[in-house]
Each structure stands twice: as C-alpha cells, then as structure tokens.
Amino acid sequence: MARRVVDVLVPVALNQTYSYRVPDGLDLAPGDVVSVPLGAREVLAVVWADNANPDPRLHNRLKDIDEKIDVPPLREELRSFVDWVASYTLSARGMVLRMTLRMGEHLGPERARLGVRLVGPPPQRMTSARNRVIGLLSDGLLHGKSDAAREAGVSASVIDGLVDEGTLAIEDMPREKIVAPDPSFATPDFSPDQETAAATLQDMCAKDGFNVALLDGVTGSGKTEVYFEAVAEIIRRGKQALILMPEIALTGQFLDRFAKRFGTRPLEWHSELTPRTRARNWAAIAAGEAQIVVGARSALFLPYVNLGLIVVDEEHDQAYKQSDGAHYHARDMAVVRGHIAKIPVILSSATPSVETEVNARKGRYTRVSLPARFGGQVMPHIEAIDLRREGPQRGKFISPRLAEEINIAVERKEQALLFLNRRGYAPLTLCRACGHRFSCNICDAWLVDHRFRQRLVCHHCGFSMPRPHQCPQCGAEESLAAIGPGVERLQEEAAALFPEARTMVLSSDLVTSIETMRSELNEIAEGRVDIIIGTQLVAKGHNFPRLNLVGVVDADLGLGNGDPRAAERTFQLLNQVIGRAGREKGYGVGYLQTHQPEHPVMKALVANDRKAFYDSEIEARERALYPPFGRLASLIVSAGDRPSAEGFGRKLVSAAPHDERVQVLGPAEAPLAVIKGRYRFRVLVKSARNVDLSDYLRRWLADAPKTKGNLNLEVDVDPQSFL
Ligand code: ADP
Ligand code: ZN
C-alpha cells in the first residue's frame, strides 16, 4: 500500500516544498516540525500540506521523514502569514519560514545549567584563586558555575579542582520560572484624555476581531501608559500580546517601566539574545508560557499560540523595514498578521507615517488621540536659527545664540542635547595641498574620520585605514583637513565652549552592545552628564528628566537627498528629538539651525502645526501618485562591473509586461553607485493603488532573463530607501 506523502517547507532560501514519505506509525499533521534528509544533510523542516496525489513514478524515490521534533506545531495562522509575506515581498517562502524558526539548531531538550555550592572543609592546598571562590560561595547558596568563575575571576578548572577536593559540590540549577505579569499590579491615575483613550483601546481588545487603532499622541502624552491598559486587558483574557519596537528603543528603562506596571519584566526578543536565551524564549512563546513579548521586528514571526494583540510602538520608524533577506516592513506586516489572526493592532506614534495618517483620515483606522502632555507639561517651544544670518564662525558648528542658551541651561543644572545625525568626527577628509579626497576603494563613498578609533572608515562596507600623516597623492605632510562635522567633532567644540560641563557622545559605533547602551542611557537619566551629543540613537523612547534644551545642529541634513519621504522623515525625526525636552519639569526648548527656515518642515515645527505639515505632504503625495496613493517597487541590479549591471538592467526593463497602469523607470545608476566593489543600477516601478504590484513583478520576473554569474537582482516592494 502506498504510504502517506507530505510536502514540507525547509527554512532555506527556496520557495518550493518537497515531498517526503511518512514512516508507519508516525502521526503527522500540517505545522509539525520535523527533521528530513536533504542531500547529504539532516535539516529542520515544517510539514506544510498533505500531498494526496503524489506522482506515482516518483513515489518510490521519495525519502522518509526522519523524525518529529518535540515542539508545538506552527499554527495555520502563522503558516498563512509566512505564505502571505513571501508572496507579497517576492521572497522565498523558506527564507520567511526561517524567521519563525530562529531558535536555530538549539531545538531539543534544554541542557541543565550547572551550579556550585560550598559543602565541605577548605582544601589542603589553598591558593588565592581558590580563596576567592570560597569567599564568593561562603553564603552557602547555589551559584551558577560559570557565573561563579567569572565573578571570582578564575577559570572553570579552579572550580573543578575544588569539587575534586570535596570543598564544593556540583548541582543542577533550577530552571528559571517565567513570572506571569499581573494586569492589576499598579494601575496609574489617568488624566481624563488618557482615561478615554485607554477605555477605547481596552474595548477593542475585549472583543475578538481585526481592528487597527492609531494611538496618536504628542511626545510625553503617556502613549505607553495608555497602551499598557490594552495589554492588561489581553493578560486578563489569558492571551498573548506582542509589543514591537525599533531595536534601539528597546531599553532597560522600557523594561523597568513594564515591570513597574505589571510586576515583572516581559520576555525580550532581539538580535543580541544569547543562543540559550533565544531557544528558551522561543519555547516559552510556542508553549504559551510567555504572555507578553517585547521585541524588534523579527518578533513578528514567532509561533505565538494565542496571540491577542500587536502593538507597534513608534510605528513611523524606518527601522521596521528589513533591508536584507526578505525585504518586509514590520509595521505593515503586523497589520497583515493581525488581519489573518483576526486580532486588534495598535499603531503608536507622535508623528505617524503618512500612510497611517491617511488610513486614519479615511476611517480605515480608528484614531485615538492624546492631544496634551501628561502632568501639565507643555510642548517644547521651537525656534529656528538662520545659519545664513547668525551662523557660527568658519570651521565651527554651534552658533553663538545656541551656545548662549546651552550655557544658561547648564548653569541652571539642566541638561542639553546637541543632535547631529552623523557618526564620527568629520564626513570628509581632504588634502589642503592638492585637494585629494579620501574615498573608499570599493564603494562610491567618502571615508569618515573617526578620531576615537583613529581611523578613516567607510560607512557602507566597513573598510578602514589609519589616518595618515601624509597625503597619498601629493606627499604633503600634515596637510589633511577635516571637512564638516560629526558628533565627535561637536564634542570637541562643546568641550572648548563649555569647559565646566560634562559631555557624553552617544552614537551607534561607540556603543558595543545593547547592554552598554542601556548603562549609558541610565547615566544620562540619572543626571551624570550635562551635555549629550548624539545621533538618532538618542531620539527614541528615552526619558531624561533634566533634559530641557535640544539643539539641532544641522536641521537640513535629511532634506536634500531625492528620497520621496525626505520631508516626512525630517519632520518625524526632528519632532521626536526635540520632544525629548521638557518632559518632566521646566520648559522644553528646541533650536533648529537651518539654512532654509522657510521650508515647510521648519515652518510646521516652529509653528507647532502638525496638521499643516500632513496636509501639504499628503497633497504632494496624492499629486505625484506616491504611496499611499500609488505603489512603488524597486529592482536593484548589481554586478562586479558597470556594463554588466547596466546591460542587465536594460534587458530586464525591456522584458517588462505592458500594463498602462504601471510605469517602469530606469535603469538609472543608483545614488550609491558602487557598494563593496559592486556597481548598482535601480529600476523604479510605479503603479496605481489598485494594481497588484507583487503579482505584476512575479509575472515579469518569471519571463525575464535570469541573473547569472556575478549578477544579482534584489526586489524591494514598498521601498523605504532609494539609495
Ligand atoms: P509618550 O510615549 O507619549 O512619549 P510616555 O508614555 O513615555 O509618553 O509618558 C511620558 C511620561 O509621563 C512618562 O514618564 C510616564 O511615566 C509619565 N506618565 C504618563 N501618564 C502618566 C500617568 N497617568 N500617571 C503617571 N505618570 C504618567
Ligand atoms: Zn566602502
């Protein structure tokens, strides 16, 4: 009798499923995680569907499923989501599946952690290392073995030696229990606005069904406190909730705030978890033991058992778009997952994306507003400083007016933040003698001077070289000049202007891990810094109680780059950075150093007129048929040489199916024309809103010439970057 056949999806970059026979006695259903032989390897796979009519000729050549892995099956809802995301983004299904199985090879029974305890008399031979261990364990409690070694500053063999001597004993550490969050642990006293907003969200969560709310509140209005009430409702209903955040906003301060409200920290999911924690958290989520998960965008793909709510905090943030592997936008896909799972989704922001704002204006999303700051704090007062009239002297970047205001703030023992979205010391280094500019050999980019590290660095490929003392072109000595500011240079200027003040630079290249970043943010929050100099790392989600002044050093920086969202991005970023000021006491002020104070973005910020900005931006998008009034996709072709990339781009474009609702623009050399030695051309595809652009691309690429050799083609549906 023919045996049962199932189709499995393997978590590698392949779209199709493979058929396997089910051995007798193995009970399998779609969603089960299995291991299968693939080529010479054993790989993890997921049963995707029954195959009722396998090709009889192939049947005998099919291999057997090896075994069923002892984890809960991936639910139908998640499998549909994987299929949907793959289809929409034109990614291989296996690649999307891989994101749901991110516990990798760490599946299977968890290894017990070993602990040590002091149980016997001191050893015959005492050394100082042994003495430190015994001192540490003199409390008689069970300590993690590797923790004990680290804390005592000894190697594991010192501990093993003491075990052999009978001084210490090895025991298994008990498994850490996940403490259930308590929805009534500490409910805040809400203002009437907050009360209304919280009640609306709670009602939405009390019923099943898909629904999207835009929690729209100014910075400091208490959006977090308010959506915590929705989370509380989900906990009461015994369901799971996911809170998505941009990775760098996932701070210790946030976890503590959660703990203050719910009595315990939530489960975390981000790129820096150790493999052990990753595996444990995955299992806890799949088993439904973890009720609340706070995570970066990849947490969207985890196997929740009864997901009841997704919150997308800072929904407008660009970090939600993944730009390698599957190019998905986590905010949009959160709405998709909510739709498939029939659950509510809350999008939270002080400056919603234009797409979300339009959905709220059209009534597709429910707007829940928090128009004022909590506790009577007023919104920061914003002024422009016109660099054409009152700029700093040459080679300096802090204008006299801004310097004076910072001085006053520091004297009042308040904090000031100087914001500049540029890492390093200077974006360009050139030779004063011959004009030579230092650029990367393999990218079309200048090398950025990083003085702390004493190197010139390419921000695209990571290439770096020591800062030379001689120009490589003309041989002049000590002739190199730094052009333009980065945060490190700003710190130098601030230190000279305000010698008494304590300064700190916060920039992603200087923080080595999420942990060190968390501790630096704590230092600032505790007031041990007077002037913070930071990139957009500081813009997100932190509360610095004494910060009342924000100076934006170059407000025009993001405007002139040809990106259709440049104005929106600049508005959001500056609004958010200045929103750090005056959150707890005193008055917040923001200064925008700009060459174009008449620009609509600057005018809207200074007038605190958000609506004016959205009105004009929405109108401009509608006129140009940009999202959300039209659709966009990018095809990015790259090759080791320029003619191949351009030639393939041409062939691709000439193979595009004709459709009068679709415009195919390009190929055009990309603004970043060379990255890592690869030449890049872009094709922009633009269509009316009612066109299924993914389907159009699929038809196109099925018949188009295929990449081979050194050629590469990337497909980016709903691109966020146009570089
Ligand atoms: P947002 O996310 O809108 O910027 P937050 O939720 O961070 O605002 O709130 C800003 C500050 O106000 C936080 O320190 C928060 O703890 C405090 N806060 C907001 N609402 C309340 C409340 N009802 N009771 C006590 N503190 C509140
Ligand atoms: Zn480079």
Side-chain angles (χ1 to χ4, degrees), residues 87 140 156 296 321 353 355 365 476 482 499 554 596:
S87 162
K321 177 79 188 216
S353 63
E355 285 85 343
Y365 296 173
D554 183 354
Q596 36 187 338

Side-chain angles (χ1 to χ4, degrees), residues 426-496:
L428 168 65
T429 303
L430 60 72
C431 168
R432 265 188 302 249
C434 73
H436 172 71
R437 295 166 173 224
F438 284 81
S439 60
C440 178
N441 287 331
I442 55 172
C443 301
D444 181 22
W446 291 334
L447 294 181
V448 177
D449 184 355
H450 283 252
R451 291 279 163 97
F452 287 168
R453 284 155 63 193
Q454 295 283 341
R455 297 184 83 82
L456 302 180
V457 182
C458 172
H459 281 183
H460 297 290
C461 71
F463 164 83
S464 76
M465 60 184 267
R467 194 171 191 276
H469 296 285
Q470 228 186 0
C471 173
Q473 184 157 295
C474 72
E477 303 227 354
E478 307 301 339
S479 67
L480 303 188
I483 307 297
V487 279
E488 294 177 14
R489 190 171 193 179
L490 217 51
Q491 183 185 35
E492 200 176 87
E493 190 174 332

Side-chain angles (χ1 to χ4, degrees), residues 316-376:
H316 62 276
D317 199 293
Q318 248 181 295
Y320 282 122
K321 177 79 188 216
Q322 169 147 306
S323 57
D324 50 14
H327 292 245
Y328 69 93
H329 197 299
R331 180 234 306 141
D332 297 345
M333 295 308 114
V335 173
V336 170
R337 187 156 188 183
H339 188 257
I340 294 176
K342 303 189 183 65
I343 58 169
V345 177
I346 297 172
L347 308 179
S348 173
S349 177
T351 50
S353 63
V354 169
E355 285 85 343
T356 298
E357 175 68 21
V358 169
N359 279 326
R361 287 186 178 193
K362 297 220 157 131
R364 285 192 283 262
Y365 296 173
T366 311
R367 191 191 300 267
V368 178
S369 300
L370 292 172
R373 281 194 160 175
F374 176 75

